[in-house]
């Protein structure tokens, strides 16, 4: 397990996703290794593991056919699972394979309204950011699926935590829906720093940058989204 | 004393009475300096009044880098009892055999007094030292202080749960292998699996030094390691005589209680037909001065014990009748077996299915084949009684003419 | 997402046990020859080297404060050079090589309100779970149940006068975090009504196929209520296990009017004489009657009394009942035998009597 984990980590950092299966074997034990990497302290490893689950959902769905159950359970488990990485991974699976994702997308999206997870004062910022990111990724493909939580996402655009604000803005930027623009527009001058995972890389920027990009994207894609 | 108003708890106060030590009296004292315990008592009083619990389902909290070890808990009556609105539990991996020094206990108490309710379970059902009740923002400081003093969190969720063991060779003459070393070794080996849930469901290891099974491993663990021996029970006939002289009724209490009738006593000496002994421990339990397990010792490994949820309770079933739990090679044989079992579980286990249920679904025979363990009569009470056999091999008809041509 | 300030220590595991072992234990590790019960709660283990270690066993409610633990630590310092341990049944064991320290330690322990006992043919501490004190799925409170029960059985903890040891466990729901399924006597919190279904939130918080398949009796079906996807429960098939609530928080099952306690007997984990066995149902329902659950403590006292009067030496509760037969057990205890006692879950037929060997009372 330790060797497999080290190998997978290296391949993830190198962005060599298909090689993970050829090197570690096209078997569920490899999936276990990837699950374990979702807890990794090194953010890029964790995020790339999330991407890898998306890749598997697209390319090898059979290998992870029970993953959605597992991930939802890890968010629901009353016996102390923390669900670390679960929202992001669910989002990425749903984005890449809606059939495999089943109700997972809807459930993740609704975590945004869960008082113990995403609402102050109890909220868990790590899970909240994962949920926001998942909403952005899923909504980019299928905006209808996340329609009824967009207002809730919008409310996080003036959160005191810049990382939360940034991810809310980033998520709305992916989802071209009427109304989203309002929340984003208020943040164009926001200097708060945010670290967001985008296109397979971690990107350090300001909330303002994300807001301006989101508005530009909406403009380019057509006024329908504004 | 307290600068908060102490809760009135007339129902709970009834539990201050009686000779057994009262958790209510203890908590009431803590409530004087811990508002969280004061409100916990208030909420518990409400539960006693309404006959209903007031904790919400789940809660996603933890420490960085780990997927388990903390159980999130929130009150559904937080308005009324704000000080216990958050009431998370911290599982601290106990030392093997639950041995402590006073200094170690004070270290744990001081950390917990600074950062939590001060209430504990010594210990939780799986074996951890459990800190009961704290808030989210205290979790990282608790973890930092624990690890600073060389303590770590235990398991929770779908991971290797904190292994536990009996006191074994430390204080028991029955121990057939070093349970405390094995438990420590396995706990260290699987730290990653313990802290980062990546299995279909929980996985419990328990190590008992003899078939008395003081940690209930056969009932409560997915992988139960029970000490046993292959050679002969050691007999000290002089001590047998001492027991007889002291009035023990050896025939009634030992010989006739032997489940295999493999013992006899002629009024002077005990003889044992060791080939027929099934290592039940009864005679040794009754006459520990006179009878001892043999010296060719090791363990029986059993798999799949669990409580009822979901498909019904299971006692663990025999997997390996005898294994040398060998410290010198770092329990390699045991660990190799674990790798094969977990590979199987990865492939065949479904979410929230314990290994015992998985084996029942797939079939013990198929499971054994997959993990490369030969089927043995020791694996069953008796062979199957039904003829519904999934034969996997048969002869193909051979076409004589075709065969001749070839 | 915040970066840790200092390098983080993780995956260090528990401290190594060796540092917590009494010097006599360390010296005689693996060399113990035999043990004896000197009196209730006091054991001596004798080594091949001739060394002795004395263990003094003390009952504890398990749910204890740091102040109580510190009191134990002080006593360990005073009499045991600081060495102590906890048992698998949540007793405290003080460890000393000085025989002269035993009685003064016992006096101090008892003065502090804690009982010494729980060894050999006694009723040791009750294994139990969290109950209303900390668990979200509890059908009862086990801390209170255990306290009330141990008050009633106190004499059996501090004396060793039973035919054999009696191990009791209590669990607050069918998850059975305590070893209820294999104890001599067990107390189990139960539900008796199907879960309520919050149709508005099921589809938002629960994966419907998972919820459907969580039911061991296939009582849950997907359905639509006012345009919302949800589930329905066939009440006739529900046996109130609460597994659906575990996977789907929108299906709470707790019901103050109907939750209660069931009583089980005759399980064991030890291999001594007979094989390990499950507990069997003695009483299907007793009311939740806090703070002292008199119906429950009466029933347990009754079982212990008839066992104490009727069992042979070295017979555990399950072995005694198997010898006298279940009809006799119900006769002696006066517990009513009902249709609930007859299994109708998986492999139920294995529990039916299939012979003409019947004892007539």
């Amino acid at each position: 397990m330790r060797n497999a984990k080290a190998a997978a980590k290296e391949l993830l950092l190198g962005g060599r996703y298909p090689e993970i299966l050829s090197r570690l074997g096209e078997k569920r034990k490899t999936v276990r290794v990837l699950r374990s990497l979702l807890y990794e302290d090194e953010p890029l490893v964790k995020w790339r593991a999330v991407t890898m689950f998306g890749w598997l959902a697209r390319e090898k769905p059979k290998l992870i056919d029970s993953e959605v159950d597992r991930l939802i359970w890890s968010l629901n488990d009353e016996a102390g699972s923390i669900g670390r990485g679960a929202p992001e991974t669910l989002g990425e699976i749903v984005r890449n394979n809606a059939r495999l994702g089943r109700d997972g997308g809807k459930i993740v999206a609704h975590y945004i309204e869960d008082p113990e997870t995403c609402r102050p004062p109890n909220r868990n910022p790590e899970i909240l950011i994962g949920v926001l990111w998942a909403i952005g990724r899923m909504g980019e493909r299928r905006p209808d699926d996340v329609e009824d939580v967009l207002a809730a996402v919008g409310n996080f655009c003036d959160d005191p935590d810049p990382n939360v604000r940034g991810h809310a803005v980033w998520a709305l930027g992916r989802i071209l829906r009427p109304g989203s623009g309002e929340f984003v527009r208020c943040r164009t001058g926001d200097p708060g720093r945010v670290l967001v995972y985008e296109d397979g890389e971690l990107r350090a920027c300001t909330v303002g940058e994300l807001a301006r990009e989101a508005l530009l994207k909406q403009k380019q894609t057509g006024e329908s989204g504004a | 004393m307290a600068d908060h108003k102490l809760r009135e708890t007339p129902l709970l106060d009834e539990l201050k009475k009686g000779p057994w030590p009262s958790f209510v009296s203890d908590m009431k004292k803590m409530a004087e300096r811990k508002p969280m315990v004061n409100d916990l008592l208030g909420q518990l009083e409400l539960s006693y009044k309404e006959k209903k619990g007031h904790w919400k389902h789940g809660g996603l909290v933890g420490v960085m880098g780990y997927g388990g070890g903390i159980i999130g808990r929130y009150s559904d009556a937080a308005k009324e009892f704000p000080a216990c609105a958050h009431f998370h539990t911290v599982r601290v991996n106990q030392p093997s055999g639950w041995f402590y020094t006073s200094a170690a206990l004070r270290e744990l108490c001081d950390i917990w007094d600074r950062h939590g309710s001060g209430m504990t379970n010594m210990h939780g059902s799986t074996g951890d030292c459990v800190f009961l009740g704290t808030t989210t923002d205290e979790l990282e400081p608790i973890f930092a202080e624990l690890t600073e003093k060389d303590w770590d969190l235990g398991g929770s969720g779908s991971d290797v749960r904190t292994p536990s063991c009996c006191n074994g060779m430390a204080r028991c003459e029955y121990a057939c292998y070093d349970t405390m070393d094995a438990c420590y070794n396995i706990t260290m080996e699987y730290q990653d699996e313990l802290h980062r849930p990546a299995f279909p469901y929980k996985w419990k290891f328990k190590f008992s030094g003899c078939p008395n099974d003081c940690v209930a491993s056969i009932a409560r663990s997915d992988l139960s390691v029970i000490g046993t021996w292959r050679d002969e029970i050691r007999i000290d006939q002089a001590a047998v005589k001492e027991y007889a002289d002291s009035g023990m009724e050896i025939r009634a209490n030992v010989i006739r209680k032997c489940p295999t009738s493999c013992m006899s006593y002629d009024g002077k000496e005990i003889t044992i037909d060791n080939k027929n002994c099934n290592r039940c421990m009864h005679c040794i339990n009754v006459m520990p001065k006179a009878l001892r397990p043999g010296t060719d010792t090791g363990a029986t490994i059993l798999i799949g014990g669990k409580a009822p949820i979901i498909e019904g309770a299971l006692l663990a079933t025999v997997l390996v009748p005898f294994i040398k739990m060998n410290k010198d090679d770092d329990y390699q044989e045991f660990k190799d077996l674990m790798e094969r079992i977990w590979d199987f579980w990865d492939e065949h286990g479904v979410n929230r299915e314990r290994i015992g249920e998985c084996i029942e679904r797939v079939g013990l025979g198929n499971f054994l084949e997959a993990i490369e363990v030969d089927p043995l009569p020791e694996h069953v009470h008796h062979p199957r009684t039904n003829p519904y056999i999934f034969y996997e091999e048969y002869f193909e008809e051979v076409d004589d003419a075709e065969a001749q041509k070839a | 997402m915040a970066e840790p300030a200092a390098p983080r220590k993780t995956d260090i595991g528990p401290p190594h046990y060796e540092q917590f072992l009494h010097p006599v234990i360390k010296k005689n590790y693996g060399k113990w020859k035999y043990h004896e019960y000197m009196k209730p709660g006091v054991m001596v283990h004798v080594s091949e080297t001739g060394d002795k270690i004395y263990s003094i066993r003390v009952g504890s409610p398990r749910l204890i404060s740091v102040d109580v633990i510190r009191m134990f630590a002080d006593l360990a310092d005073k009499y045991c050079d600081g060495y102590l341990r906890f048992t698998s049944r949540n007793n405290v064991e003080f460890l000393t090589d000085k025989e002269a320290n035993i009685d003064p330690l016992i006096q101090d322990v008892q003065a502090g309100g804690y009982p010494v006992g729980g060894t050999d043919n006694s009723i040791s501490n009750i294994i139990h779970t969290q109950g209303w004190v900390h668990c979200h799925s509890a059908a009862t409170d086990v801390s209170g149940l255990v306290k009330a029960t141990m008050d009633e059985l106190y004499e059996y903890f501090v004396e060793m006068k039973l035919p054999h040891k009696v191990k009791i466990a209590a669990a607050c729901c069918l998850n059975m975090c305590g070893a209820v399924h294999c104890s001599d006597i067990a107390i189990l919190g139960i539900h008796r009504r199907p879960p309520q279904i919050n149709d508005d939130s099921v589809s938002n918080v629960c994966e419907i196929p998972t919820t459907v398949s969580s039911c061991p009796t296939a009582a849950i079906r997907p359905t639509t209520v006012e345009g919302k996807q949800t589930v329905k429960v066939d009440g006739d098939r529900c046996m109130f296990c609460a597994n659906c609530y575990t996977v789907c928080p929108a299906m709470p099952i707790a019901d103050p009017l109907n939750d209660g306690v069931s009583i089980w007997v005759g399980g064991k984990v030890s291999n001594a004489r007979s094989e390990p066995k499950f507990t069997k149902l003695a009483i299907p329902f007793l009311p939740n009657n806090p703070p002292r659950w008199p119906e429950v403590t009466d029933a347990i006292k009754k079982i212990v009394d008839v066992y104490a009067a009727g069992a042979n030496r070295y017979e555990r509760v399950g072995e005694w009942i198997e010898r006298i037969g279940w009809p006799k057990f119900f006769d002696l205890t006066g517990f009513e035998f009902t249709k609930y006692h007859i299994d109708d879950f998986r492999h139920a037929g294995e529990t039916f009597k299939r012979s003409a060997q019947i004892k007539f009372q």
Side-chain angles (χ1 to χ4, degrees):
Chain A
M1 176 80 175
R2 259 171 263 169
N3 296 341
K5 219 171 148 176
K9 200 168 157 177
E10 200 187 311
L11 291 168
L12 286 175
L13 286 173
R16 291 140 72 189
Y17 300 106
E19 241 179 279
I20 291 174
L21 287 194
S22 54
R23 285 268 297 278
L24 301 186
E26 197 173 319
K27 53 185 184 185
R28 286 166 198 250
K29 185 183 179 176
T30 306
V31 180
R32 164 150 59 99
V33 171
L34 291 167
R35 276 177 210 141
S36 186
L37 286 167
L38 292 174
Y39 303 101
E40 199 66 15
D41 277 341
E42 200 178 331
L44 190 60
V45 175
K46 175 218 134 161
W47 281 109
R48 292 265 174 95
V50 172
T51 298
M52 181 69 194
F53 274 99
W55 185 89
L56 287 168
R58 210 166 54 236
E59 305 292 333
K60 301 282 175 191
K62 215 172 147 31
L63 212 51
I64 56 164
D65 56 6
S66 61
E67 209 57 27
V68 168
D69 275 3
R70 248 195 66 84
L71 289 163
I72 292 172
W73 169 244
S74 80
L75 288 166
N76 243 347
D77 187 352
E78 86 292 25
S81 274
I82 293 168
R84 179 156 282 146
E88 303 90 309
T89 309
L90 274 166
E92 198 62 9
I93 290 174
V94 172
R95 175 189 167 100
N96 283 284
N97 188 334
R99 209 170 50 85
L100 189 69
R102 303 207 308 222
D103 300 340
K106 197 169 168 192
I107 290 166
V108 171
H110 277 93
Y111 259 90
I112 203 83
E113 290 161 349
D114 182 47
E116 266 72 60
T117 311
C118 294
R119 292 287 182 200
N122 299 339
R123 69 181 196 184
N124 177 331
E126 190 185 330
I127 297 286
L128 169 57
I129 285 168
V131 170
L132 290 168
W133 190 87
I135 291 172
R137 290 290 284 175
M138 297 185 302
E140 195 167 23
R141 286 273 167 88
R142 272 176 292 277
D144 291 350
D145 289 2
V146 297
E147 174 109 53
D148 50 344
V149 296
L150 286 188
V153 174
N155 289 333
F156 285 102
C157 288
D158 57 1
D159 193 271
D161 179 347
N163 241 323
V164 171
R165 291 201 299 278
H167 277 86
V169 166
W170 181 88
L172 291 178
R174 325 257 111 196
I175 309 159
L176 306 174
R177 290 310 250 193
S180 313
E182 274 316 299
F183 296 109
V184 176
R185 204 159 289 130
C186 307
R187 302 260 61 102
T188 48
D190 189 334
R193 303 295 299 176
V194 53
L195 190 67
V196 65
Y197 181 69
E198 199 176 53
D199 302 327
E201 299 296 340
L202 278 164
R203 175 183 168 206
C205 56
T206 65
V207 179
E209 280 173 64
L210 291 174
R212 291 193 296 273
E213 282 171 30
L215 291 175
L216 186 68
K217 194 170 162 201
Q218 290 197 341
K219 210 170 178 181
Q220 285 166 350
T221 331
E223 289 305 312
S224 67
Chain B
M1 286 249 306
D3 49 10
H4 46 273
K5 192 172 176 295
L6 293 178
R7 299 274 178 187
E8 303 270 323
T9 58
L11 289 171
L12 288 172
D13 289 349
E14 289 297 310
L15 290 170
K16 288 158 84 176
K17 300 171 185 166
W20 189 254
S22 168
F23 69 98
V24 174
S25 305
D26 186 14
M27 285 169 72
K28 291 226 126 176
K29 263 185 247 152
M30 285 303 283
E32 291 174 10
R33 62 186 175 94
K34 297 275 187 187
M36 187 182 256
V37 178
N38 190 37
D39 275 7
L40 176 66
L41 279 167
Q43 181 176 312
L44 191 59
E45 177 75 10
L46 181 66
S47 286
Y48 272 51
K49 206 167 125 198
E50 295 177 345
K51 304 183 185 185
K52 182 172 178 284
H54 282 285
W55 299 107
K56 291 194 199 174
H57 187 293
L60 296 168
V61 290
V63 299
M64 283 178 49
Y66 281 11
I70 311 285
I71 314 296
R73 195 65 80 223
Y74 296 98
S75 169
D76 73 5
K79 278 211 177 77
E80 216 175 325
F81 307 104
C84 68
H86 298 216
F87 199 73
H88 311 320
T89 292
V90 181
R91 290 183 180 165
V92 181
N93 197 143
Q94 83 286 1
S96 276
W98 298 286
F99 282 90
Y100 293 90
T101 56
S102 52
L105 284 178
R106 286 199 193 96
E107 203 169 270
L108 291 170
C109 288
D110 291 350
I111 294 172
W112 188 228
D113 215 342
R114 277 196 293 277
H115 297 290
S117 75
M119 294 308 300
T120 74
N121 286 148
M122 297 297 277
H123 291 81
S125 288
T126 301
D128 300 278
C129 160
V130 177
F131 291 170
L132 218 54
T134 191
T135 54
T136 307
D137 48 2
E138 295 288 0
L139 296 174
E140 283 295 335
I142 290 168
F143 184 68
E145 289 191 33
L146 283 172
T147 51
E148 172 63 29
K149 299 278 187 188
D150 293 329
W151 298 91
D152 200 349
L153 299 186
S156 68
S158 298
D159 61 9
V160 167
R161 296 296 183 88
T162 310
S164 73
C165 64
C166 68
N167 65 180
M169 291 181 168
R171 205 212 44 195
C172 186
E173 66 273 21
Y174 302 156
C176 292
Y177 71 97
D178 191 344
T179 54
M180 304 231 298
D181 183 74
C183 183
Y184 180 77
N185 185 302
I186 298 303
T187 306
M188 297 309 284
E189 174 78 19
Y190 299 122
Q191 281 291 296
D192 195 17
E193 286 82 353
L194 194 154
H195 295 303
R196 294 167 195 87
F199 286 131
Y201 207 11
K202 64 187 92 171
W203 182 279
K204 297 186 179 183
F205 284 112
K206 287 192 191 295
F207 300 88
S208 276
C210 82
N212 284 327
D213 198 2
C214 288
V215 290
S217 69
I218 199 166
R220 307 181 63 189
S221 64
D222 298 276
L223 206 286
S224 150
V225 185
I226 299 181
T228 190
W229 67 97
R230 284 189 293 200
D231 56 346
E232 304 190 337
I233 292 177
R234 288 176 283 169
I235 309 176
D236 178 346
Q237 301 290 2
V240 172
K241 187 167 179 312
E242 265 179 55
Y243 276 116
D245 291 348
S246 72
M248 177 181 280
E249 294 178 46
I250 293 178
R251 281 200 187 85
N253 288 333
V254 182
I255 308 297
R256 275 186 232 132
K257 295 270 179 198
C258 172
T260 63
S261 307
C262 73
M263 307 181 79
S264 58
Y265 177 60
D266 62 2
K268 289 183 193 135
E269 298 201 331
I270 283 178
T271 45
I272 301 175
D273 170 12
N274 280 281
K275 294 277 170 232
N276 271 312
C277 167
N278 65 7
R279 277 69 181 164
C280 88
M281 288 298 291
H282 173 75
C283 60
I284 297 175
N285 289 340
V286 178
M287 311 175 78
K289 261 176 149 166
L291 304 174
R292 305 170 73 187
T295 53
D296 179 13
T297 56
T300 299
I301 295 184
L302 302 97
I303 190 164
K306 59 179 283 294
I309 302 292
I310 304 167
E311 296 289 331
L314 295 172
L315 285 159
T317 62
V318 171
L319 179 63
V320 181
F322 188 86
I323 185 171
K324 278 281 181 191
M325 288 297 284
N326 199 344
K327 274 194 219 188
D328 299 332
D329 76 350
D330 204 29
Y331 305 99
Q332 206 49 56
E333 191 183 350
F334 180 85
K335 290 173 187 171
D336 289 346
L337 180 68
M338 284 319 308
E339 288 305 313
R340 299 202 297 277
I341 293 170
W342 284 344
D343 283 356
F344 173 88
W345 202 27
D346 283 333
E347 280 309 318
H348 300 278
V350 301
N351 188 45
R352 291 193 72 232
E353 183 182 55
R354 298 281 286 270
I355 189 71
E357 288 164 338
C358 182
I359 292 170
E360 291 234 316
R361 181 170 54 78
V362 175
L364 179 61
N366 292 331
F367 168 70
L368 293 173
E369 192 172 66
I371 64 161
E372 299 160 43
V373 170
D374 289 334
L376 297 168
E378 284 82 359
H379 285 133
V380 293
H381 266 302
H382 54 73
R384 71 160 73 219
T385 56
N386 65 63
Y388 305 141
I389 305 171
F390 292 99
Y391 290 106
E392 288 171 359
E393 56 283 290
Y394 48 85
F395 300 118
E396 297 280 4
E397 270 180 43
V398 180
D399 186 321
D400 283 348
E402 286 293 313
Q404 265 174 8
K405 253 191 252 170
Chain C
M1 297 290 282
E3 293 295 325
R8 212 176 152 74
K9 259 168 117 179
T10 66
D11 300 84
I12 56 174
H16 195 275
Y17 53 87
E18 208 175 85
Q19 60 195 294
F20 303 131
L21 300 181
H22 190 289
V24 169
I25 285 183
K26 214 189 282 186
K27 182 180 158 209
N28 294 284
Y29 198 93
K31 293 183 195 151
W32 298 104
K33 195 159 176 235
Y34 67 90
H35 71 277
E36 285 177 313
Y37 300 102
M38 299 170 69
K39 53 184 163 184
V42 182
M43 290 185 286
V44 57
H45 283 77
V46 182
S47 164
E48 284 163 357
T49 65
D51 287 349
K52 292 178 178 175
I53 189 89
Y54 302 96
S55 307
I56 297 89
R57 186 175 287 177
V58 174
S60 145
R62 185 182 90 128
L63 170 58
I64 53 177
S65 71
V66 288
D67 290 351
V68 169
I69 300 172
R70 286 177 179 132
M71 181 196 77
F72 292 144
D74 291 345
L75 289 170
D77 280 344
K78 192 169 169 191
Y79 296 108
C80 305
D81 302 307
Y83 294 97
L84 72 169
R85 70 178 289 264
F86 292 80
T87 72
S88 58
R89 303 193 74 78
N90 308 314
N91 298 297
V92 185
E93 274 179 358
F94 292 92
L95 303 160
T96 177
D97 57 339
K98 299 177 188 71
E99 189 171 358
N101 284 356
I102 297 173
D103 288 335
L105 168 62
I106 290 175
Q107 274 174 15
D108 276 9
V109 165
Q110 288 171 338
Y114 287 80
V116 174
T119 47
D120 200 23
N121 300 326
S122 67
I123 293 181
S124 192
N125 209 343
I126 299 182
I127 290 283
H128 70 278
T129 57
Q130 299 289 14
W132 292 331
V133 172
H134 188 251
C135 188
H136 67 291
S137 70
T140 188
D141 184 53
V142 277
S143 296
L145 263 169
V146 164
K147 160 70 178 150
T149 305
M150 284 312 284
D151 279 342
E152 200 64 39
L153 300 176
Y154 188 77
E155 60 179 305
Y156 295 108
F157 182 86
V158 296
E159 293 175 62
M160 304 189 293
K161 58 181 184 181
L162 287 165
H164 204 358
K165 57 190 72 190
V166 174
K167 297 187 176 184
I168 307 182
C172 47
C173 79
L174 272 59
N175 280 313
M176 288 192 191
C177 302
V180 155
H181 58 306
C182 291
S183 296
D184 292 283
I185 303 174
I187 306 166
L188 176 65
I190 46 152
H191 305 288
R192 293 190 303 161
R193 298 284 292 158
Q196 294 148 29
I197 299 164
N198 301 333
D199 291 320
D200 283 342
S201 59
V202 165
S203 74
N204 289 342
V205 297
C206 313
E207 224 265 333
I208 287 174
T210 307
T211 308
V212 167
S213 66
S214 73
C215 180
T217 61
I220 303 178
R221 295 280 155 79
T223 188
T224 307
V225 172
E226 291 170 8
K228 285 198 165 154
Q229 282 185 304
T230 179
V231 292
K232 61 179 172 185
V233 176
D234 176 354
D236 291 342
R237 300 181 78 136
C238 178
M239 41 57 167
F240 323 110
C241 72
N243 191 42
C244 54
Y245 172 59
T246 299
V247 301
C248 178
M251 300 176 72
I253 191 168
D255 171 12
L257 193 60
N258 285 293
D259 291 348
V261 171
S262 56
I263 306 290
W264 303 72
V265 290
K268 73 196 265 280
V269 292
S270 153
N271 284 271
R273 300 165 307 283
S274 57
E275 293 190 337
K277 39 182 136 250
F278 286 129
T279 47
K280 287 95 185 170
L281 182 65
I283 302 176
F285 175 78
L286 290 172
N288 249 341
N289 203 353
R292 296 200 67 100
W293 285 269
E295 295 85 353
V296 176
T297 56
D298 283 355
I300 290 169
K301 190 77 182 4
K302 183 83 200 172
I303 296 167
V304 173
D305 286 346
V306 290
Y307 163 75
N312 293 332
R313 184 88 175 93
Y314 298 113
E315 246 175 3
R316 294 281 291 267
V317 170
E319 294 167 316
W320 159 66
I321 297 173
E322 279 171 20
R323 177 171 57 80
I324 63 171
W326 285 96
K328 188 79 182 168
F329 170 80
F330 284 96
D331 182 45
L332 287 171
T333 55
F335 300 156
E336 189 190 358
F337 187 85
T338 68
K339 83 168 187 178
Y340 295 137
H341 289 87
I342 301 174
D343 196 354
D344 48 11
F345 192 59
R346 309 235 197 296
H347 316 299
E350 289 172 9
T351 67
F352 301 166
K353 188 165 178 80
R354 296 175 195 274
S355 82
Q357 297 180 345
I358 292 172
K359 291 180 184 169
F360 294 97
Q361 305 299 325

